[in-house]
């Protein structure tokens, strides 16, 4: 990971536009979990890779992630990210859009350096699924008609596509057999879905529906995440009128978030979201059985448990 | 070109997010000159290419161009493009940012399909220069300290990088010898610079400094284009105070654009910009001498003349 971080620092530089490293550094140095590059490194090493390209791939994946964060914060008009003011707030939307484009181009240069067309295919497909999911989320928000299929497509774009590309491309660069590549892809996809389900559940305070400083963003942005979809599906006419008001019309008042949480608890929407997250974590762990036993395989298995432990 | 247009129409589709083809169609069907894909097709055919990949490459180049237009209009807060309201106005900034990202990802998928790592290298480098130039333009605007080197870097990013990548990648896909690849790259680069110089000159009404409906956008956006840079370089203290007020402080009043034009004419800034555009067009034509004579070579040569004919 130290070499990945060094490569990120080198490649976020710009000979001509100092604004680029300023904005990027602000986001990169705030930390973040570096989960995605870690997945790439682990997948490559687990498949016996001993070359150098996995470091490039890991940096690629983190650049794609950083670029999407910059654009997401513009789209969501966010003001906080990783405990810091967002780049769109510190600089402006323009810088966030353009620096995001630059990082996307840089990620693309890095992956071309691996010289693997198969890796390029995986990552370019992931980039398309990510962008499509973001657009889908935009048009699916604020509409009570949004169903579970659309939600799954959105979170695949938001999270699972890059997780899956991270693990799959790590296996491919290592020259792993198809069965191992497929297993690591399934692992990444299931892990990413579990991760996002947990995030969406925590946005309503987890199964205990506790209010916290990170609670309520999705509600305020009127996103159709799974807890809302499940609660709406079981709403009586009066409850449906409530959801129409707060999500479709965006007329939100004091106490509405708490009422939303109460309805979710009453209909078991939070419990159900949690149980789906656990099922995806199990799916991720099960996929690893196709790979030979090793300490790294155990680490990936533990990671699946760790991802859902936030809502245990 | 009919096959390029058909491929663009197919690939701008999205299985899940109808917003994507809506926004893209709005921009693509408004026409535009399709100059960039034409350059790719012409370069490939001029180098004797008889395969299919040049159509993909041409669509790639047009997708990259369309993606940057969507993001540019957000960054510049534009309301008109190709005689129509911009997508950011008809839909919203969010859609423009995310659909732009989608088109960028799609362009990337298309170029991976060519299976040529050398083409991927050229286009990924171009994407980085484009994004870097946009960021540079953002930080160089509104500052009288911006010089001609920075301006050249900005217009390379804005226009010449994609022109050069369009012609160079067309030659590479055709398996042309290095000297032909280099000649077509030089041609594209010089043509792109000439093209942008003409655009920047016309934004101040051309050498006659005539006001028109397309005049004054750069002035209002306080961009440091060559006519401004040249006029500032020769400004006396009173004139410098004028430029400081309108460009740096952004305090623009009725008659200021006309006064800017007068100062540019007085110092020969418009004539000088025109003569540099003509010199770049000559450079583009001269580069073609390295290629065997053919009707297509004549067409490319004529194109260089056509680009500067708008300010003849």
């Amino acid at each position: 990971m130290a070499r990945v971080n060094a490569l990120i620092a080198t490649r976020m530089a710009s000979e001509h536009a100092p604004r680029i490293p300023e904005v990027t550094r602000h986001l990169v140095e705030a930390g973040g979990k570096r989960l995605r590059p870690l997945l790439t490194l682990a997948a490559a090493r687990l498949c016996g890779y001993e070359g150098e390209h996995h470091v490039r791939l890991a940096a690629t994946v983190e650049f794609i992630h950083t670029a999407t964060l910059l654009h997401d914060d513009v789209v969501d008009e966010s003001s906080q990210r990783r405990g810091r003011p967002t780049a769109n707030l510190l600089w402006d939307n323009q810088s966030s859009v353009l620096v995001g484009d630059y990082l996307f181009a840089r990620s693309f240069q890095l992956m071309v350096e691996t010289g693997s067309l198969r890796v390029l295919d995986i990552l370019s497909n992931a980039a398309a699924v990510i962008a499509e999911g973001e657009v889908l989320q935009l048009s699916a928000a604020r509409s009570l008609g949004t169903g579970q299929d659309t939600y799954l497509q959105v979170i695949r774009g938001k999270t699972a596509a890059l997780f899956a590309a991270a693990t799959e491309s790590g296996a491919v660069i290592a020259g792993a057999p198809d069965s191992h590549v497929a297993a690591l892809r399934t692992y990444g996809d299931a892990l990413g879905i579990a991760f996002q389900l947990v995030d969406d559940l925590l946005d309503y305070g987890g199964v205990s529906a506790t209010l916290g400083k990170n609670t309520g963003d999705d509600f305020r942005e009127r996103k159709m995440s799974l807890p809302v979809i499940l609660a709406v599906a079981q709403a009586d006419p009066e409850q449906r009128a409530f959801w129409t008001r707060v999500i479709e019309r965006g007329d939100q008042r004091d106490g509405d978030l708490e009422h939303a949480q109460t309805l979710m608890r009453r209909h078991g929407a939070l419990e159900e979201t949690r149980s789906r997250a656990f099922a995806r974590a199990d799916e991720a762990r099960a996929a690893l059985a196709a790979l030979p036993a090793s300490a790294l395989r155990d680490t990936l298995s533990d990671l699946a448990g760790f991802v859902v432990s936030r809502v245990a």
Side-chain angles (χ1 to χ4, degrees), chain A:
Chain A
M1 272 310 291
R3 283 163 59 209
V4 173
N5 287 333
L7 187 59
I8 288 173
T10 311
R11 296 306 178 90
M12 75 187 183
S14 155
E15 196 186 335
H16 305 288
R19 174 76 52 89
I20 291 172
E22 278 169 34
V23 171
T24 310
R25 195 176 299 121
H26 172 73
L27 196 56
V28 167
E29 288 183 358
K33 293 170 289 293
R34 297 276 202 280
L35 194 51
R36 294 154 189 84
L38 211 77
L39 286 172
T40 305
L41 297 181
R45 297 299 287 273
L46 180 52
C47 295
Y49 188 61
E50 298 195 342
E52 290 298 316
H53 287 318
H54 65 324
V55 173
R56 284 195 187 87
L57 264 184
T60 294
V61 162
E62 189 66 4
F63 269 141
I64 295 177
H65 178 54
T66 309
T68 60
L69 293 185
L70 283 169
H71 286 187
D72 276 1
D73 286 341
V74 170
V75 167
D76 291 343
E77 298 171 0
S78 308
S79 55
Q80 282 248 326
R81 161 84 63 189
R82 295 175 179 169
R84 290 184 172 200
T86 53
N88 44 309
L89 207 72
L90 280 184
W91 288 271
D92 43 41
N93 281 343
Q94 284 102 318
S95 297
S96 290
V97 170
L98 298 176
V99 174
D101 288 351
Y102 182 75
L103 293 182
F104 195 45
R106 285 302 233 179
S107 77
F108 179 17
Q109 287 181 307
L110 269 167
M111 62 184 113
V112 170
E113 288 174 25
T114 67
S116 162
L117 282 166
R118 203 167 151 204
V119 156
L120 286 159
D121 186 48
I122 292 165
L123 287 164
S124 65
N125 290 337
V129 173
I130 291 168
E132 189 177 34
E134 300 272 3
V135 179
L136 190 59
Q137 172 168 270
L138 196 64
S139 45
R142 307 176 179 189
S143 162
L144 295 189
T146 298
Q148 299 189 29
D149 288 352
T150 301
Y151 172 73
L152 192 60
Q153 193 69 31
V154 167
I155 68 174
R156 277 222 156 86
K158 228 171 146 163
T159 312
L162 194 54
F163 275 50
T167 48
E168 185 181 12
S169 62
V172 164
I173 206 78
D178 285 352
S179 63
H180 293 183
V181 172
L184 279 163
R185 176 175 183 81
T186 302
Y187 169 84
D189 179 64
L191 185 75
I193 294 174
F195 185 90
Q196 194 56 48
L197 284 166
V198 167
D199 243 34
D200 291 351
L201 174 53
L202 286 173
D203 212 285
Y204 284 97
V207 279
S208 62
T210 321
L211 277 176
K213 74 181 165 77
N214 296 318
T215 325
D217 284 348
D218 289 348
F219 185 73
R220 278 184 292 275
E221 289 163 17
R222 301 149 65 188
K223 284 185 179 157
M224 288 297 289
S225 63
L226 188 61
V228 178
I229 292 172
L230 294 173
V232 166
Q234 297 186 68
D236 64 24
E238 188 189 335
Q239 291 168 5
R240 198 171 168 92
F242 167 77
W243 291 115
T244 302
R245 174 170 64 77
V246 296
I247 298 289
E248 296 213 328
R249 293 213 306 276
D251 171 10
Q252 299 188 357
R253 305 165 196 169
D254 278 357
D256 280 347
L257 173 58
E258 292 79 355
H259 186 59
Q261 291 174 312
T262 303
L263 294 181
M264 287 170 178
R265 262 215 312 263
R266 188 178 306 163
H267 293 301
L270 300 172
E271 280 292 351
E272 176 65 20
T273 301
R274 176 167 75 167
S275 95
R276 293 197 194 180
F278 273 80
R280 292 291 182 167
D282 286 344
E283 189 191 331
R285 269 189 293 252
L288 296 173
L291 299 157
S294 73
L296 259 178
R297 193 184 78 166
D298 293 344
T299 305
L300 288 184
S301 183
D302 291 348
L303 182 61
F306 173 73
V307 157
V308 290
S309 68
R310 293 188 293 161
V311 293

